[in-house]
Amino acid sequence: MTALHHAAELSVTEATQRGVARLVADAEQGADLVVTRRHQPVAAVVSIRRLNELEEAAADLRDLALVLVRAATDTGRRTPIDDVLSAFGHTRESLAAIPDEDD
């Protein structure tokens, strides 16, 4: 399945005939193009705006997956921060005593 549902398909030969400048111009105008070889998608030409939209959607899906996993596996058990610090050999005071790198 592709995220470019309404993309125009063209073969590598057709893409070559159109030329890079025309492919880029089409993408800038909002056309999503899928380049195929032997009827199999091998590349896509999209605008930067569309690429950003796709990357944002992918990030949203990753976040959603994390939320769903957390909801499905959450037992309700929580670990206090002091227990975590202790497991790593620290206390709140020992962390506070560590100088900042900016100092």
Side-chain angles (χ1 to χ4, degrees):
M1 185 173 108
T2 177
L4 303 174
H5 299 293
H6 302 291
E9 288 190 14
L10 63 157
S11 69
V12 171
T13 302
E14 291 168 325
T16 301
Q17 290 169 350
R18 278 194 190 188
V20 172
R22 172 92 184 275
L23 294 175
V24 169
D26 289 346
E28 286 176 327
Q29 296 301 313
D32 295 337
L33 305 170
V34 173
V35 181
T36 61
R37 178 179 286 126
R38 294 183 201 92
H39 306 288
Q40 296 299 314
V42 294
V45 181
V46 298
S47 67
I48 288 296
R49 180 195 53 76
R50 181 69 169 127
L51 178 62
N52 289 335
E53 289 173 359
L54 293 169
E55 288 175 341
E56 287 176 23
D60 289 346
L61 287 173
R62 280 190 298 275
D63 291 345
L64 177 60
L66 290 172
V67 168
L68 290 173
V69 167
R70 176 69 185 264
T73 60
D74 188 0
T75 64
R77 182 175 175 269
R78 300 292 182 264
T79 303
I81 188 69
D82 292 319
D83 292 350
V84 174
L85 292 173
S86 177
F88 288 98
H90 286 283
T91 64
R92 292 176 192 241
E93 293 78 21
S94 70
L95 289 181
I98 297 172
D100 289 338
E101 290 184 18
D102 295 337
D103 293 340

